[in-house]
Amino acid sequence: MGLADNGAVIEMKTELRTDLTIEDICAGFEFDEAENKGLFGWDGKLTIQPEYQRNYIYADAKMEAAVVESIFSGYPIGLLYFNKIAEDKYEVLDGQQRITSLGRYILGKFAVKAFKPKYFHSLEDAEREKFLKTRLTIYICEGEPEEIKAWFRTINIAGLPLNAQEISNAIYSGSFVTAAKAEFSNSQNSNLQVWQDYIKGNVQRQEILQTALSWVAKSSERDDIDKYMSRHRCDKNIDELKNYFDGVIDWIEKTFSETRDEMRGLEWGRLYETYHENKYDTAALDAEVKKLYADEAVTDKRGIFEYVLGGCKDAKLLHIRFFEESTKKTVHARQTEAAKKIGKSNCPLCAIGSDRNSTKIYKYNEMDADHVTAWSKGGETDIKNCQMLCKTHNRAKGNF
Ligand SMILES: [Zn+2]
């Protein structure tokens, strides 16, 4: 029993099995050499690596051996989680790597070196028997996707926890996820290099897929991505997902001729939705980007792309460098001294007004610095272009 996202109490069937042994679970173990992943176990009843799982990542032989050594040393290898999908049909929710390590050991794929360098087949009979008869601790759950999701988030999974996309792949497994993974979670995909110019993340941890889904779902909220996955769960193809994704990538490539490090991980899905119908002169856009890259006042280069797409209006995106504290203090002192001499406010905008603030002398901390000539009109961030305004006037001016 647990709490769903909406707070409702959920009742999902979970069963703790402690009777199953390594021999049971590794019976009929099949391993895909080419893809380096475990496929089936438990006499075919168990899908070890459902399409949604992360790739087998114990490429590190040490990790793989550690699983086997734990068994020989009598240490627990942690809980395994299976999802019951039909009568006598299970999928590994968590523990796929551990099971694959055990299966590969039995198949003689590696030896355990740390103590007695032994392959499975060279074990003494008693050792082999002890290994095979070791009982595993397995939680089997059965329930609706929402329930499993809520439950999944609360269990403390041994080893590397699944991330949000991996969990969703598990929950919405089916033909759509299979096809989507083949495209977006495939480290052999030759397009990957281009994609990674714009997208951050680990392909094996499903992070490229997550981005692709967030684009077509037009939201990076987990719930919206999950709704999309749920709607398309039984689709035989991923045409919509792929076409949309390719459309975004094409658009970026056509719009910006140069790729730059700061482009990686931008919210391209949102930018595409907002700006792709505008017509751009790409040569002019490139020139503008170059100029902004060279401008030291632009402290956030990542903001440049949306800034130019939006017609160079929203300078907030660029986090324009601000005046130094010493500059502001100097200017404040200078303005205050001059203002006192003529009996006017030290805020130049208050001084030209007619209300009682026109003679008010503001303390340093009651004022903010302002670019006399806006940065966007070529004004520099140096003392010659700095004036102090009272906070009210500075806010009202509010431009760069
Ligand atoms: Zn003022």
Side-chain angles (χ1 to χ4, degrees):
M1 197 169 75
L3 289 178
D5 288 347
N6 61 10
V9 174
I10 54 165
E11 306 236 9
M12 187 183 50
K13 275 200 254 167
T14 61
E15 186 191 0
L16 180 63
R17 297 275 304 256
T18 54
D19 57 313
L20 293 161
T21 63
I22 291 177
E23 185 171 31
D24 294 326
I25 294 304
C26 291
F29 175 76
E30 278 183 45
F31 180 74
D32 182 330
E33 205 71 58
E35 291 202 42
N36 202 34
K37 64 181 193 182
L39 299 175
F40 303 105
W42 201 2
D43 288 317
K45 289 188 288 219
L46 180 68
T47 302
I48 294 173
Q49 174 141 2
E51 61 276 0
Y52 51 79
Q53 279 277 17
R54 74 164 71 93
N55 298 335
Y56 184 65
I57 55 175
Y58 282 178
D60 181 355
K62 253 199 242 163
M63 294 283 287
E64 197 167 54
V67 173
V68 173
E69 282 162 16
S70 297
I71 298 290
F72 282 122
S73 308
Y75 300 142
I77 60 164
L79 285 168
L80 303 169
Y81 293 91
F82 295 175
N83 182 17
K84 182 172 181 179
I85 51 173
E87 202 51 41
D88 270 345
K89 280 256 171 256
Y90 304 87
E91 291 178 342
V92 178
L93 275 178
D94 192 67
Q96 161 249 353
Q97 292 153 2
R98 283 165 284 164
I99 293 169
T100 301
S101 298
L102 297 173
R104 275 170 47 80
Y105 181 65
I106 293 172
L107 289 182
K109 299 287 181 192
F110 63 95
V112 174
K113 296 200 177 81
F115 80 115
K116 296 191 237 170
K118 279 188 173 170
Y119 282 95
F120 182 73
H121 57 79
S122 59
L123 293 173
E124 308 285 331
D125 285 352
E127 286 173 326
R128 190 181 303 130
E129 199 61 2
K130 185 186 167 208
F131 181 83
L132 290 173
K133 296 299 179 202
T134 300
R135 290 177 183 215
L136 299 169
T137 311
I138 302 168
Y139 258 111
I140 295 176
C141 66
E142 190 182 356
E144 295 300 312
E146 272 309 307
E147 299 174 321
I148 293 174
K149 188 158 66 176
W151 178 71
F152 218 130
R153 285 179 183 143
T154 62
I155 57 177
N156 187 20
I157 292 172
L160 191 57
L162 297 183
N163 63 30
Q165 186 58 46
E166 288 166 336
I167 292 172
S168 292
N169 285 2
I171 292 159
Y172 302 106
S173 71
S175 50
F176 177 79
V177 164
T178 307
K181 248 198 94 182
E183 176 70 12
F184 295 106
S185 308
N186 172 7
S187 46
Q188 305 303 312
N189 190 323
S190 56
N191 294 318
L192 201 55
Q193 219 167 349
V194 172
W195 298 348
Q196 285 180 327
D197 282 341
Y198 311 119
I199 302 170
K200 256 192 197 148
N202 181 332
V203 64
Q204 300 199 335
R205 296 299 309 267
Q206 313 300 324
E207 287 166 340
I208 306 289
L209 173 59
Q210 175 168 289
T211 299
L213 287 164
S214 75
W215 289 358
V216 73
K218 299 183 177 63
S219 164
S220 47
E221 295 291 325
R222 188 75 247 165
D223 278 354
D224 295 326
I225 293 174
D226 284 357
K227 272 183 206 138
Y228 186 88
M229 293 180 76
S230 169
R231 249 193 338 271
H232 293 273
R233 185 171 185 174
C234 301
D235 290 5
K236 295 282 176 263
N237 65 65
I238 55 163
D239 292 354
E240 181 186 69
L241 170 67
K242 185 162 165 43
N243 290 338
Y244 190 88
F245 181 87
D246 290 345
V248 177
I249 297 286
D250 280 355
W251 175 75
I252 305 171
E253 288 189 305
K254 279 195 195 112
T255 309
F256 298 103
S257 61
E258 241 179 283
T259 52
R260 296 170 184 271
D261 288 350
E262 287 78 8
M263 294 173 114
R264 190 176 306 128
L266 294 182
E267 295 175 66
W268 288 114
R270 181 179 62 76
L271 296 177
Y272 173 80
E273 274 303 309
T274 313
Y275 300 108
H276 81 275
E277 284 179 358
N278 298 359
K279 291 270 169 281
Y280 294 103
D281 173 347
T282 49
L285 219 54
D286 273 345
E288 190 65 38
V289 169
K290 236 181 220 119
K291 196 183 95 194
L292 292 164
Y293 259 88
D295 189 331
E296 283 179 16
V298 176
T299 66
D300 187 358
K301 306 293 187 204
R302 292 170 55 80
I304 289 173
F305 303 94
E306 180 160 20
Y307 177 73
V308 298
L309 288 170
C312 301
K313 291 194 188 98
D314 188 1
K316 279 199 298 299
L317 293 163
L318 303 173
H319 294 93
I320 296 305
R321 185 159 59 87
F322 217 58
F323 295 104
E324 306 280 345
E325 191 75 10
S326 58
T327 302
K328 292 193 283 185
K329 285 197 165 138
T330 305
V331 172
H332 177 260
R334 197 171 63 197
Q335 279 178 211
T336 304
E337 197 187 313
K340 279 179 176 165
K341 270 187 198 153
I342 55 168
K344 288 282 191 183
S345 171
N346 59 347
C347 166
L349 296 183
C350 285
I352 57 174
S354 54
D355 60 13
R356 58 200 183 91
N357 283 348
S358 67
T359 56
K360 183 166 177 180
I361 296 294
Y362 294 92
K363 295 196 197 87
Y364 175 70
N365 62 12
E366 293 171 327
M367 303 185 94
D368 281 322
D370 173 61
H371 287 78
V372 180
T373 303
W375 168 85
S376 56
K377 298 195 172 69
E380 304 221 0
T381 306
D382 63 14
I383 194 160
K384 290 192 293 295
N385 193 37
C386 176
Q387 67 177 345
M388 297 297 283
L389 298 178
C390 73
K391 286 190 190 287
T392 309
H393 274 120
N394 192 57
R395 250 195 305 277
K397 197 175 169 201
N399 69 352
F400 285 88

